[in-house]
Amino acid sequence: MLIKTLLSLTALTLTLTSCTKKQEAENSAGTTAAESSEILVGEYGSMTGGEATFGISTHQGIMLAFKEVNSSPEKLKGKTLKLLSLDDQGKPEEAATAVTKLITQDKVMAIIGEVASSRSLAAAPISQQYKVPMISPSSTNPKVTEVGDFIFRVCFIDPFQGTVMAKFAAENLKVKKVAIMRDVKSDYSVGLANYFKETFTKMGGSIVSEQTYVSNDIDFKAQLTSIKTSKPDAIFIPGYYTEVGLIARQARGLGLKVPLLGGDGWDSSKLFEIGKDSIVGSYFSNHYTTDTTDPRAKDFIAAFKKEFNAVPDGLAALGYDAAKVLIDAMKRSKSLTSSTDLRDAIASTKDFAGVTGMITVNEQRNATKSAVVVKVAGDNNTFVTTINP
Ligand code: PHE
């Protein structure tokens, strides 16, 4: 027991030291939740490590939504929303530690996170156990919300995303033979590869090579050499941007010129920084595009640019929407003292107009939404098509 406590304290020190100064200041709020004029919400994410843009973008999206409600005249039923953010460094065990701390020590009323499905899966059982509602902005593996009735998400799930890319490959690109390269340590990558394969083969296509890697690998030449001999028309790589950028460069280096296809895990300004020209012309599915005509999304993009001097990616948009859905539920909740009331309010979210689309929380606590396919065009992506559920 003591050892356990010491371990978690060490982990806590690590996570806190890796927070930015700004976050520390925001985190210094008192923790007397009940009578306080503040409502505490926890966030856990990869603020550092190979998936740092996921955590940082999401955090910015959430901050913008919180700022908007806090500066409105009525605030949140007269209270101020306070965000406590912890860095899990992109590690599932740190995600579990962070959520335990947010719930048992800080006594947050709800939790926003994580982006990566494996980290949401590591932390969701803790939220469920303590009955603290958790909303994942962007974890797409089906298992995440299956953990229990306190776990929600505001995005589509991978059986749909896999179908989107399989259809796009077969119908738009008209490719017949695809090689797959999946990250076996990532629930997201393994699941999405399977869903893609299922639909693509049903549509008459064939999978000519299946290769694996694990997050943080840097040399993919053996797998790519094997893929090359299978002569694919395209390669599906449902991974995260750091590895995908490296895979793209090494593929081109080996003379593999076919299009690379991926999912939302490619969404980062770092993808082009790492992959350079090797990634240009490849396609991935995503939750949102900045090539939008939707006035709400346009307002969000403008407000985000003003606040952070950057164009919001899909993570930022989903972080914003997750926070907005939570705020809307808090406003509708019968009370702000019972987590079951808040849970019920989130569960009854219907036709909420988000910047990533209309959000209705369904029976499985997921959102049914359209996906877009974008083409990597350099340090920006161009919209190709929208695919509806
Ligand atoms: N959907 C990914 C997962 O479940 C995470 C992700 C979402 C990454 C959106 C980038 C953009 O792991």
Side-chain angles (χ1 to χ4, degrees), residues 54 114-120 136-141 144 153 155-156 158 161 186-189 192 239-241 263-268 286-287 314-315 318:
F54 290 172
E114 230 262 15
V115 169
S117 291
S118 294
R119 296 192 288 274
S120 288
S136 167
S138 43
S139 285
T140 46
N141 187 281
V144 172
R153 78 180 106 212
C155 57
F156 54 64
D158 287 332
Q161 185 169 206
S186 155
D187 293 280
Y188 158 76
S189 190
L192 187 51
Y240 296 145
Y241 63 90
D264 54 356
W266 286 28
D267 189 13
S268 171
N286 208 355
H287 303 264
L315 288 308
L318 286 165

Short mmCIF file of all heavy atoms in Angstrom, two decimals, residues 54 114-120 136-141 144 153 155-156 158 161 186-189 192 239-241 263-268 286-287 314-315 318, ligand 1:
data_model
loop_
_atom_site.label_atom_id
_atom_site.label_comp_id
_atom_site.label_asym_id
_atom_site.label_seq_id
_atom_site.Cartn_x
_atom_site.Cartn_y
_atom_site.Cartn_z
N PHE A 54 -1.45 16.05 -30.06
CA PHE A 54 -2.81 15.61 -29.72
C PHE A 54 -3.27 16.28 -28.42
O PHE A 54 -4.37 16.84 -28.34
CB PHE A 54 -2.88 14.08 -29.50
CG PHE A 54 -2.72 13.25 -30.75
CD1 PHE A 54 -2.59 11.87 -30.66
CD2 PHE A 54 -2.71 13.81 -32.02
CE1 PHE A 54 -2.46 11.07 -31.79
CE2 PHE A 54 -2.58 13.02 -33.16
CZ PHE A 54 -2.45 11.64 -33.04
N GLU A 114 -9.38 10.71 -23.14
CA GLU A 114 -8.13 11.08 -23.81
C GLU A 114 -8.37 11.11 -25.30
O GLU A 114 -9.47 10.85 -25.75
CB GLU A 114 -7.07 10.02 -23.44
CG GLU A 114 -5.74 10.61 -22.95
CD GLU A 114 -4.68 10.69 -24.05
OE1 GLU A 114 -4.98 10.58 -25.25
OE2 GLU A 114 -3.50 10.87 -23.67
N VAL A 115 -7.34 11.39 -26.05
CA VAL A 115 -7.41 11.31 -27.50
C VAL A 115 -7.22 9.85 -27.93
O VAL A 115 -8.10 9.24 -28.53
CB VAL A 115 -6.32 12.22 -28.13
CG1 VAL A 115 -6.19 11.95 -29.61
CG2 VAL A 115 -6.63 13.68 -27.86
N ALA A 116 -6.08 9.29 -27.56
CA ALA A 116 -5.73 7.93 -28.01
C ALA A 116 -6.59 6.88 -27.30
O ALA A 116 -6.72 6.89 -26.08
CB ALA A 116 -4.26 7.67 -27.75
N SER A 117 -7.12 5.96 -28.07
CA SER A 117 -8.02 4.95 -27.50
C SER A 117 -7.34 4.12 -26.40
O SER A 117 -7.98 3.82 -25.38
CB SER A 117 -8.52 4.02 -28.61
OG SER A 117 -9.38 4.72 -29.47
N SER A 118 -6.09 3.74 -26.57
CA SER A 118 -5.44 2.90 -25.55
C SER A 118 -5.36 3.62 -24.21
O SER A 118 -5.46 2.99 -23.16
CB SER A 118 -4.03 2.50 -26.00
OG SER A 118 -4.11 1.66 -27.12
N ARG A 119 -5.19 4.93 -24.24
CA ARG A 119 -5.12 5.68 -22.98
C ARG A 119 -6.52 5.91 -22.39
O ARG A 119 -6.70 5.87 -21.17
CB ARG A 119 -4.35 6.99 -23.19
CG ARG A 119 -2.89 6.69 -23.56
CD ARG A 119 -2.00 7.89 -23.50
NE ARG A 119 -2.21 8.85 -24.55
CZ ARG A 119 -1.63 8.80 -25.76
NH1 ARG A 119 -0.80 7.82 -26.07
NH2 ARG A 119 -1.86 9.74 -26.65
N SER A 120 -7.50 6.14 -23.24
CA SER A 120 -8.88 6.23 -22.73
C SER A 120 -9.28 4.91 -22.10
O SER A 120 -9.94 4.87 -21.07
CB SER A 120 -9.85 6.57 -23.87
OG SER A 120 -9.67 7.90 -24.28
N SER A 136 -14.63 11.41 -23.91
CA SER A 136 -13.46 11.43 -24.79
C SER A 136 -13.82 12.26 -26.01
O SER A 136 -14.84 12.03 -26.66
CB SER A 136 -13.08 10.02 -25.24
OG SER A 136 -12.15 10.13 -26.31
N PRO A 137 -12.95 13.24 -26.34
CA PRO A 137 -13.23 14.04 -27.52
C PRO A 137 -13.07 13.21 -28.80
O PRO A 137 -13.82 13.38 -29.74
CB PRO A 137 -12.16 15.13 -27.49
CG PRO A 137 -11.49 15.05 -26.16
CD PRO A 137 -11.73 13.67 -25.63
N SER A 138 -12.10 12.29 -28.80
CA SER A 138 -11.65 11.77 -30.09
C SER A 138 -11.20 10.32 -30.13
O SER A 138 -10.68 9.88 -31.15
CB SER A 138 -10.51 12.67 -30.59
OG SER A 138 -9.62 12.98 -29.52
N SER A 139 -11.39 9.57 -29.04
CA SER A 139 -11.04 8.14 -29.09
C SER A 139 -12.09 7.42 -29.91
O SER A 139 -13.27 7.49 -29.60
CB SER A 139 -11.00 7.55 -27.68
OG SER A 139 -9.84 7.97 -27.01
N THR A 140 -11.66 6.69 -30.92
CA THR A 140 -12.62 6.11 -31.86
C THR A 140 -12.79 4.60 -31.73
O THR A 140 -13.63 4.02 -32.41
CB THR A 140 -12.20 6.47 -33.30
OG1 THR A 140 -10.80 6.24 -33.45
CG2 THR A 140 -12.51 7.92 -33.63
N ASN A 141 -11.97 3.93 -30.91
CA ASN A 141 -12.14 2.48 -30.77
C ASN A 141 -13.45 2.18 -30.03
O ASN A 141 -13.72 2.75 -28.98
CB ASN A 141 -10.95 1.86 -30.03
CG ASN A 141 -11.03 0.34 -30.03
OD1 ASN A 141 -11.77 -0.25 -29.24
ND2 ASN A 141 -10.33 -0.28 -30.94
N VAL A 144 -14.02 1.76 -25.99
CA VAL A 144 -13.90 2.83 -24.99
C VAL A 144 -15.20 3.08 -24.23
O VAL A 144 -15.23 3.05 -23.00
CB VAL A 144 -13.38 4.14 -25.65
CG1 VAL A 144 -13.43 5.31 -24.68
CG2 VAL A 144 -11.96 3.94 -26.17
N ARG A 153 -18.38 9.68 -25.71
CA ARG A 153 -17.49 10.34 -26.67
C ARG A 153 -18.32 11.22 -27.59
O ARG A 153 -19.55 11.00 -27.71
CB ARG A 153 -16.67 9.31 -27.44
CG ARG A 153 -17.41 8.61 -28.56
CD ARG A 153 -16.50 7.59 -29.27
NE ARG A 153 -16.87 6.23 -28.91
CZ ARG A 153 -16.02 5.22 -28.82
NH1 ARG A 153 -14.74 5.40 -29.04
NH2 ARG A 153 -16.43 4.01 -28.49
N CYS A 155 -17.34 11.74 -30.87
CA CYS A 155 -16.86 11.48 -32.24
C CYS A 155 -17.44 10.17 -32.76
O CYS A 155 -18.03 9.40 -31.99
CB CYS A 155 -15.33 11.39 -32.24
SG CYS A 155 -14.68 10.14 -31.12
N PHE A 156 -17.23 9.91 -34.04
CA PHE A 156 -17.65 8.63 -34.62
C PHE A 156 -16.71 7.52 -34.16
O PHE A 156 -15.70 7.80 -33.50
CB PHE A 156 -17.71 8.71 -36.15
CG PHE A 156 -16.45 9.20 -36.83
CD1 PHE A 156 -15.26 8.48 -36.77
CD2 PHE A 156 -16.44 10.40 -37.55
CE1 PHE A 156 -14.11 8.92 -37.42
CE2 PHE A 156 -15.29 10.86 -38.19
CZ PHE A 156 -14.13 10.11 -38.12
N ASP A 158 -14.55 3.62 -35.04
CA ASP A 158 -13.71 3.05 -36.10
C ASP A 158 -14.38 2.07 -37.08
O ASP A 158 -13.92 1.97 -38.21
CB ASP A 158 -12.45 2.43 -35.50
CG ASP A 158 -11.50 3.52 -35.05
OD1 ASP A 158 -11.53 4.62 -35.64
OD2 ASP A 158 -10.72 3.29 -34.10
N GLN A 161 -15.15 4.56 -39.55
CA GLN A 161 -13.96 5.16 -40.16
C GLN A 161 -13.25 4.17 -41.09
O GLN A 161 -12.75 4.55 -42.16
CB GLN A 161 -13.01 5.66 -39.05
CG GLN A 161 -11.81 6.40 -39.63
CD GLN A 161 -10.97 7.14 -38.61
OE1 GLN A 161 -10.32 8.10 -38.98
NE2 GLN A 161 -10.95 6.75 -37.36
N SER A 186 -1.34 -0.43 -30.27
CA SER A 186 -2.40 0.58 -30.21
C SER A 186 -3.75 -0.05 -30.53
O SER A 186 -3.96 -0.60 -31.62
CB SER A 186 -2.07 1.69 -31.22
OG SER A 186 -3.22 2.36 -31.65
N ASP A 187 -4.68 0.03 -29.57
CA ASP A 187 -6.02 -0.52 -29.80
C ASP A 187 -6.65 0.12 -31.03
O ASP A 187 -7.36 -0.53 -31.79
CB ASP A 187 -6.91 -0.25 -28.57
CG ASP A 187 -6.44 -1.03 -27.37
OD1 ASP A 187 -6.76 -2.22 -27.28
OD2 ASP A 187 -5.74 -0.44 -26.51
N TYR A 188 -6.39 1.40 -31.18
CA TYR A 188 -6.93 2.16 -32.32
C TYR A 188 -6.43 1.56 -33.64
O TYR A 188 -7.21 1.25 -34.53
CB TYR A 188 -6.49 3.62 -32.17
CG TYR A 188 -6.47 4.43 -33.43
CD1 TYR A 188 -7.66 4.90 -33.99
CD2 TYR A 188 -5.27 4.76 -34.06
CE1 TYR A 188 -7.64 5.67 -35.14
CE2 TYR A 188 -5.23 5.52 -35.21
CZ TYR A 188 -6.41 5.97 -35.75
OH TYR A 188 -6.40 6.73 -36.90
N SER A 189 -5.13 1.40 -33.74
CA SER A 189 -4.51 0.95 -34.98
C SER A 189 -4.95 -0.47 -35.35
O SER A 189 -5.33 -0.75 -36.49
CB SER A 189 -2.99 1.01 -34.84
OG SER A 189 -2.37 0.82 -36.07
N LEU A 192 -8.78 -0.37 -36.31
CA LEU A 192 -9.06 0.31 -37.58
C LEU A 192 -8.56 -0.53 -38.77
O LEU A 192 -9.22 -0.60 -39.80
CB LEU A 192 -8.44 1.72 -37.56
CG LEU A 192 -8.78 2.63 -38.74
CD1 LEU A 192 -10.28 2.72 -38.98
CD2 LEU A 192 -8.22 4.04 -38.48
N GLY A 239 -1.98 4.63 -38.17
CA GLY A 239 -1.12 4.89 -37.01
C GLY A 239 -1.20 6.35 -36.62
O GLY A 239 -2.08 7.08 -37.08
N TYR A 240 -0.27 6.78 -35.76
CA TYR A 240 -0.18 8.18 -35.35
C TYR A 240 0.95 8.87 -36.13
O TYR A 240 1.88 8.22 -36.63
CB TYR A 240 0.05 8.28 -33.85
CG TYR A 240 -1.11 7.75 -33.02
CD1 TYR A 240 -0.87 7.11 -31.80
CD2 TYR A 240 -2.43 7.88 -33.44
CE1 TYR A 240 -1.92 6.63 -31.03
CE2 TYR A 240 -3.48 7.40 -32.67
CZ TYR A 240 -3.23 6.77 -31.47
OH TYR A 240 -4.27 6.30 -30.72
N TYR A 241 0.87 10.19 -36.17
CA TYR A 241 1.68 10.98 -37.11
C TYR A 241 3.19 10.79 -37.04
O TYR A 241 3.86 10.82 -38.05
CB TYR A 241 1.33 12.47 -36.97
CG TYR A 241 1.64 13.07 -35.60
CD1 TYR A 241 2.87 13.65 -35.33
CD2 TYR A 241 0.70 13.05 -34.57
CE1 TYR A 241 3.15 14.21 -34.08
CE2 TYR A 241 0.98 13.59 -33.33
CZ TYR A 241 2.21 14.16 -33.09
OH TYR A 241 2.48 14.70 -31.85
N GLY A 263 -5.97 7.15 -41.13
CA GLY A 263 -7.15 7.62 -40.41
C GLY A 263 -6.84 8.90 -39.65
O GLY A 263 -5.82 9.56 -39.89
N ASP A 264 -7.70 9.22 -38.70
CA ASP A 264 -7.59 10.48 -37.98
C ASP A 264 -6.26 10.66 -37.23
O ASP A 264 -5.83 11.78 -36.99
CB ASP A 264 -8.78 10.67 -37.02
CG ASP A 264 -8.99 9.51 -36.06
OD1 ASP A 264 -8.27 8.49 -36.16
OD2 ASP A 264 -9.89 9.61 -35.20
N GLY A 265 -5.59 9.54 -36.92
CA GLY A 265 -4.31 9.61 -36.21
C GLY A 265 -3.21 10.35 -36.96
O GLY A 265 -2.16 10.67 -36.40
N TRP A 266 -3.47 10.67 -38.23
CA TRP A 266 -2.50 11.43 -39.03
C TRP A 266 -2.63 12.94 -38.77
O TRP A 266 -1.81 13.72 -39.23
CB TRP A 266 -2.76 11.21 -40.52
CG TRP A 266 -2.35 9.90 -41.08
CD1 TRP A 266 -2.26 8.70 -40.43
CD2 TRP A 266 -1.99 9.64 -42.45
NE1 TRP A 266 -1.88 7.72 -41.31
CE2 TRP A 266 -1.70 8.27 -42.56
CE3 TRP A 266 -1.89 10.44 -43.59
CZ2 TRP A 266 -1.31 7.68 -43.77
CZ3 TRP A 266 -1.52 9.86 -44.79
CH2 TRP A 266 -1.21 8.49 -44.87
N ASP A 267 -3.69 13.33 -38.09
CA ASP A 267 -4.02 14.75 -38.00
C ASP A 267 -3.09 15.51 -37.06
O ASP A 267 -3.32 15.58 -35.85
CB ASP A 267 -5.47 14.91 -37.54
CG ASP A 267 -5.94 16.35 -37.63
OD1 ASP A 267 -5.24 17.17 -38.27
OD2 ASP A 267 -7.00 16.67 -37.06
N SER A 268 -2.04 16.08 -37.63
CA SER A 268 -1.09 16.89 -36.85
C SER A 268 -0.26 17.71 -37.81
O SER A 268 0.08 17.24 -38.89
CB SER A 268 -0.16 15.97 -36.05
OG SER A 268 0.89 16.72 -35.47
N ASN A 286 -10.91 12.07 -41.52
CA ASN A 286 -10.83 12.94 -40.34
C ASN A 286 -12.22 13.40 -39.91
O ASN A 286 -13.22 13.11 -40.55
CB ASN A 286 -9.92 14.14 -40.65
CG ASN A 286 -9.26 14.68 -39.40
OD1 ASN A 286 -9.53 14.24 -38.29
ND2 ASN A 286 -8.39 15.68 -39.57
N HIS A 287 -12.24 14.12 -38.78
CA HIS A 287 -13.50 14.53 -38.17
C HIS A 287 -13.99 15.87 -38.67
O HIS A 287 -15.15 16.23 -38.48
CB HIS A 287 -13.32 14.63 -36.64
CG HIS A 287 -12.84 13.34 -36.03
ND1 HIS A 287 -13.69 12.43 -35.47
CD2 HIS A 287 -11.59 12.82 -35.92
CE1 HIS A 287 -12.98 11.40 -35.02
NE2 HIS A 287 -11.71 11.61 -35.29
N GLY A 314 -8.19 18.93 -36.10
CA GLY A 314 -9.38 18.19 -35.69
C GLY A 314 -9.43 17.96 -34.19
O GLY A 314 -10.50 17.96 -33.58
N LEU A 315 -8.27 17.77 -33.58
CA LEU A 315 -8.22 17.55 -32.13
C LEU A 315 -8.72 18.76 -31.37
O LEU A 315 -9.47 18.63 -30.39
CB LEU A 315 -6.78 17.29 -31.67
CG LEU A 315 -6.06 15.99 -32.00
CD1 LEU A 315 -6.87 14.81 -31.62
CD2 LEU A 315 -5.60 15.93 -33.40
N LEU A 318 -12.45 18.94 -31.75
CA LEU A 318 -13.15 17.94 -30.93
C LEU A 318 -13.02 18.25 -29.43
O LEU A 318 -13.94 17.99 -28.65
CB LEU A 318 -12.62 16.54 -31.23
CG LEU A 318 -13.09 15.95 -32.57
CD1 LEU A 318 -12.25 14.73 -32.94
CD2 LEU A 318 -14.56 15.56 -32.51
N1 PHE B 1 -9.02 8.27 -32.95
C1 PHE B 1 -7.70 8.10 -32.40
C2 PHE B 1 -7.74 6.99 -31.37
O1 PHE B 1 -8.77 6.53 -30.99
C3 PHE B 1 -7.15 9.36 -31.81
C4 PHE B 1 -7.14 10.58 -32.68
C5 PHE B 1 -8.30 11.30 -32.94
C6 PHE B 1 -5.97 11.03 -33.25
C7 PHE B 1 -8.31 12.42 -33.76
C8 PHE B 1 -5.96 12.15 -34.06
C9 PHE B 1 -7.14 12.83 -34.34
O2 PHE B 1 -6.74 6.54 -30.87
#
